[in-house]
Amino acid sequence: MDDCLFCRIVAGEIPSDKVYEDEYVLVFKDIDPQAPVHVLIIPKKHYDNVLSVPADDDIMGKINEAVRIVAEKCGVDKTGFRVITNCGEDAGQSVKHLHFHLMGGRVLTWPAG
Ligand code: 5GP
Ligand code: ZN
């Protein structure tokens, strides 16, 4: 989508600090990190949010592969980390392109706010 910030990052029109990329998924550092490790895992294809993924679509499996690779790459696979997707207004989803925050590198409090 032309007016979508993360589609523009996928297209290379807006720069990002890339951590991992494959055919389906892009991972880059959050511009406003809330933890020592805070990256965004996004599908290259546009989905508005987690409710927009069809049941027979395998993108969630591709995302999970990226989680494993990036957690290891960022050195949090042993210490622990959190994967969060905000969906809709009450969750505070600010970018309407499906994305997963992977956060770690410190002790994370629970419950999330
Ligand atoms: P949300 O609030 O939708 O769950 O998360 C959106 C995230 O995108 C926020 O954590 C915000 O800091 C991040 N973000 C917003 N604009 C940009 C940008 O232009 N580049 C990068 N790398 N991150 C962004
Ligand atoms: Zn998009």
Side-chain angles (χ1 to χ4, degrees), residues 1 4-8 45-47 96-97:
M1 289 167 67
C4 170
L5 174 66
F6 286 176
C7 281
R8 295 188 67 196
K45 183 176 166 189
H46 182 98
Y47 304 84
K96 286 10 179 212
H97 179 129

Side-chain angles (χ1 to χ4, degrees), residues 5-6 9 14-17 28-33 38 40 85-86 91-96 99 101:
L5 174 66
F6 286 176
I9 286 178
I14 295 172
S16 67
D17 197 345
F28 53 95
K29 292 185 181 175
D30 195 292
I31 204 167
D32 182 22
H38 186 177
L40 299 173
T85 189
N86 292 318
Q93 182 183 2
S94 61
V95 179
K96 286 10 179 212
H99 56 280
H101 300 255

Side-chain angles (χ1 to χ4, degrees), residues 28-83:
F28 53 95
K29 292 185 181 175
D30 195 292
I31 204 167
D32 182 22
Q34 302 299 313
V37 173
H38 186 177
V39 300
L40 299 173
I41 302 173
I42 73 169
K44 289 187 169 177
K45 183 176 166 189
H46 182 98
Y47 304 84
D48 286 347
N49 58 45
V50 73
L51 296 178
S52 309
V53 179
D56 60 351
D57 192 317
D58 65 351
I59 190 61
M60 298 301 283
K62 305 294 184 191
I63 296 279
N64 197 66
E65 276 181 49
V67 166
R68 186 182 303 105
I69 292 165
V70 169
E72 282 178 22
K73 195 167 181 178
C74 294
V76 294
D77 57 314
K78 305 278 192 307
T79 49
F81 59 92
R82 189 170 290 162
V83 178

